[in-house]
Amino acid sequence: MNRKTLVPLATIGLLAPVLVACGSTDGGSGGGDAIVVGTTDQFAASAESPAPLDPAYAYDTGAWNVLRQTVQTLMHAPRGGGEPVPDAAESCSFTDNASESYRCKLRSGLSFADGTPVTANDVKFSLQRVLDIDADNGTAALLANIDTIETKGDDEVIFHLSTPDATFPYKLSTPVAGIVSPKDYDAKKLREGFAVDGSGPYTMKTETEGEKITKVVFSRNDKYKGDIKLHNDKVELRSFEDAAAMGKALEAGDIDVMTRAMSPEQIRDLSENPKEGITLTEVPGLEIRYLAFDTTDPSVKNKAVRQAMAAVVDRGQIAGQVYGSTAEPLYSLIPTSIAAHTNSFYNKYGEPSTEKAAAILDDAGIDTPVRLELNYTTDHYGEGTAKEFETLRDQLNATKLFEVTVKGTEWSEFRPAQKRGDYAVYGLGWFPDFPDPDNYTAPFLDDGNFLNSPYVSTEARNLIPQSRREADRTAASPAFKKIQDIVAEDVPFLPLWQGKQYVASRDDITGIEWTLNASSDLQLWELSRGGGS
């Protein structure tokens, strides 16, 4: 999640017929007792990406945070983190020692919000649908090692895996494994527009302006049966164009909570100059940012160019000058707070060194300066991205080994262009699907990866399934160390920094510390007003 991706915008004429059935809501801070949450996530549909909220397509943090409220999964991440626990399931476990057969028994009395019973066949339908549609967003890759799905009666599902996978319970806790009804979702094609139906803790309605969602109102689903305890009856999620507009809405009392993504300046200001009635809360975060390379492009095809960049990039300057206390340097795709992390890039390249970079290029016979364009998205990861890429440009150009320009593009154009291979070098962020080192390696390096990257390491692709054999995840550390060393040697990706998360809220809102977990999953059910239960 990406993480991930959001969808390009559409024209009003295209989207209008899609949204007729989505309805609208009153909501708002004055509409009942709804808690109003702000986000800068954008939700839009287009001819190229018409189904942004279909579990078989959605693969970005914003869309997943809508789906988590409405579409139930067999497992879910517990409040305080750790291994997934049953939600739609009453129990789930591997039935063999090889982690190749996984059995779940459903809770009794499960139903979709319209009262239709949820059965084992619905679970099978939902996950098989993802595999059959195999959308180009990379979603199906999370379930790719499912060989067959077996049902026994109405309440038992058995997943037979083609390869051992100790991380499978985590995958069943992600929205890609969301349970949907055959009445509402076609088995072979995506559900276009913004309607979402499920058996999760909330039902939802949307308001739109032209091609975009401006508001989603989540109302308690009285039919919900699962592990989650709701602390409210209604939450409204409002989408803002930027962090500044979201901040003004919080100060004015138009929203109660400000989530992702606050700007570094806002976080610094609220830390140093607290505002009456507003609380800033730091929550754990596992976001990473990195450069990625089209390793078939002539400008970066020789890995010496990529290695030279790795030798001169000053992560500390980027983190300190651009993001301040909200970021810290990262020397691996796996962040420091995840087991199996090693500082593989630092171990290989050390401190930034023009001399070392020059030697790498000279040994490879590469003429300098190397001309490159660094591409970034202007409206997806927050307002610091432009300054970050300007800093990267200046660092590289200062060596005289590179002649770098930067180009910013709106996400609606950036992501499709990136998937097509239009960019030789580009920047992206990653919010993990689940907090395991597998999810910082497989989505980048495995077959069918979400970047559509041409880079292939046969050794890494052999190590990924090997690591999944280990139910004790610490025992998989040697495999992940090798994978990190391979990435540092070949540099198909250049990790830059990992971030912290912050939430700002009005003082009468409780449950803020649980609102975002480390994977940036939005848990709206934790919020309450005035200490309510």
Side-chain angles (χ1 to χ4, degrees):
M1 304 191 115
N2 295 22
R3 193 178 26 273
K4 310 282 194 341
T5 65
L6 274 181
V7 296
L9 304 183
T11 63
I12 294 176
L14 168 69
L15 196 60
V18 175
L19 299 180
V20 169
C22 292
S24 62
T25 62
D26 43 14
S29 53
D33 292 321
I35 296 171
V36 186
V37 177
T39 179
T40 57
D41 287 323
Q42 305 294 308
F43 310 97
S46 73
E48 186 173 5
S49 303
L53 296 180
D54 190 319
Y57 178 85
Y59 201 13
D60 67 272
T61 304
W64 273 22
N65 281 337
V66 171
L67 292 174
R68 290 184 191 280
Q69 321 305 317
T70 50
V71 178
Q72 194 174 17
T73 48
L74 290 169
M75 309 287 284
H76 84 107
R79 182 191 228 192
E83 296 183 1
V85 297
D87 186 20
E90 177 183 286
S91 62
C92 286
S93 62
F94 283 105
T95 60
D96 63 340
N97 293 328
S99 300
E100 290 183 314
S101 180
Y102 196 72
R103 174 186 178 274
C104 290
K105 182 177 177 60
L106 299 185
R107 293 179 186 267
S108 61
L110 282 179
S111 70
F112 294 106
D114 66 0
T116 305
V118 175
T119 68
N121 282 329
D122 295 319
V123 177
K124 178 179 179 178
F125 165 83
S126 301
L127 276 72
Q128 189 63 52
R129 175 177 179 269
V130 174
L131 294 169
D132 290 344
I133 291 175
D134 193 16
D136 66 1
N137 229 15
T139 319
L142 279 173
L143 306 177
N145 64 342
I146 294 178
D147 187 15
T148 59
I149 305 174
E150 177 186 0
T151 61
K152 290 186 177 181
D154 286 338
D155 64 351
E156 188 173 337
V157 186
I158 303 172
F159 300 95
H160 300 285
L161 308 182
S162 57
T163 56
D165 187 1
T167 71
F168 192 67
Y170 289 96
K171 295 172 181 176
L172 290 183
S173 71
T174 66
V176 68
I179 305 167
V180 298
S181 171
K183 292 198 312 181
D184 299 313
Y185 293 81
D186 191 290
K188 300 297 183 182
K189 65 180 182 180
L190 296 171
R191 184 179 184 180
E192 298 183 0
F194 297 130
V196 179
D197 295 282
S199 56
Y202 296 100
T203 60
M204 63 167 271
K205 293 184 178 180
T206 62
E207 283 189 10
T208 63
E209 287 183 5
E211 72 274 11
K212 299 169 63 174
I213 288 180
T214 57
K215 181 189 302 183
V216 184
V217 174
F218 300 101
S219 300
R220 178 189 290 264
N221 176 16
D222 292 331
K223 299 286 196 307
Y224 170 73
K225 290 190 175 182
D227 185 64
I228 292 170
K229 179 182 178 181
L230 277 73
H231 295 268
N232 57 67
D233 292 322
K234 183 181 288 187
V235 180
E236 177 184 308
L237 186 67
R238 288 190 192 174
S239 179
F240 289 87
E241 290 293 334
D242 53 47
M246 183 168 60
K248 289 178 181 178
L250 181 68
E251 291 186 28
D254 294 333
I255 64 174
D256 301 299
V257 181
M258 182 163 62
T259 58
R260 52 184 306 273
M262 297 175 62
S263 71
E265 292 76 17
Q266 284 175 323
I267 295 166
R268 187 181 303 115
D269 183 50
L270 286 172
S271 298
E272 298 174 356
N273 307 293
K275 292 179 171 56
E276 184 177 356
I278 295 176
T279 299
L280 181 68
T281 304
E282 180 182 338
V283 294
L286 293 172
E287 170 192 9
I288 68 169
R289 298 284 181 87
Y290 59 94
L291 290 180
F293 300 90
D294 179 351
T295 53
T296 63
D297 188 281
S299 64
V300 293
K301 185 175 183 178
N302 192 319
K303 72 177 181 181
V305 174
R306 309 191 300 267
Q307 290 177 329
M309 293 175 68
V312 295
V313 165
D314 188 339
R315 297 166 175 82
Q317 183 186 45
I318 294 170
Q321 293 187 7
V322 180
Y323 295 102
S325 63
T326 67
E328 59 184 72
L330 179 64
Y331 296 91
S332 169
L333 284 177
I334 301 174
T336 57
S337 45
I338 293 288
H341 163 85
T342 62
N343 286 320
S344 52
F345 274 80
Y346 188 86
N347 295 341
K348 182 169 179 61
Y349 301 102
E351 295 292 336
S353 169
T354 298
E355 292 74 16
K356 184 177 292 185
I360 292 171
L361 294 171
D362 186 59
D363 289 346
I366 294 173
D367 294 332
T368 58
V370 178
R371 291 176 175 83
L372 297 173
E373 180 180 80
L374 308 186
N375 289 271
Y376 68 94
T377 174
T378 58
D379 59 345
H380 192 58
Y381 295 117
E383 298 170 17
T385 310
K387 185 177 179 182
E388 174 184 348
F389 273 74
E390 291 166 2
T391 303
L392 275 169
R393 176 198 63 201
D394 294 346
Q395 289 180 0
L396 293 166
N397 287 345
T399 67
K400 307 299 183 183
L401 301 172
F402 296 91
E403 187 176 302
V404 173
T405 58
V406 297
K407 181 181 179 182
T409 306
E410 289 187 0
W411 184 256
S412 58
E413 298 178 15
F414 177 89
R415 172 59 171 162
Q418 177 269 306
K419 288 194 292 183
R420 288 194 304 266
D422 291 357
Y423 303 141
V425 191
Y426 56 92
L428 280 175
W430 179 254
F431 300 84
D433 305 324
F434 50 88
D436 186 276
D438 179 88
N439 198 239
Y440 289 92
T441 50
F444 298 87
L445 300 167
D446 217 349
D447 185 34
N449 62 81
F450 87 99
L451 289 174
N452 196 29
S453 171
Y455 170 76
V456 175
S457 166
T458 302
E459 183 178 5
R461 289 190 178 180
N462 289 334
L463 287 166
I464 288 169
Q466 176 183 318
S467 72
R468 290 172 177 164
R469 295 178 181 273
E470 304 293 348
D472 177 3
R473 301 307 290 151
T474 58
S477 292
F480 288 116
K481 182 182 185 302
K482 290 181 182 178
I483 291 172
Q484 291 170 91
D485 289 344
I486 290 169
V487 173
E489 169 64 29
D490 291 348
V491 200
F493 314 100
L494 181 54
L496 297 173
W497 57 267
Q498 66 181 79
K500 302 176 183 178
Q501 297 186 113
Y502 292 84
V503 179
S505 59
R506 308 295 302 184
D507 285 349
D508 64 333
I509 302 299
T510 61
I512 294 296
E513 66 272 26
W514 307 112
T515 305
L516 283 174
N517 67 15
S519 298
S520 296
D521 301 341
L522 192 59
Q523 302 175 134
L524 295 178
W525 51 83
E526 296 288 357
L527 297 173
S528 62
R529 192 186 300 278
S533 61

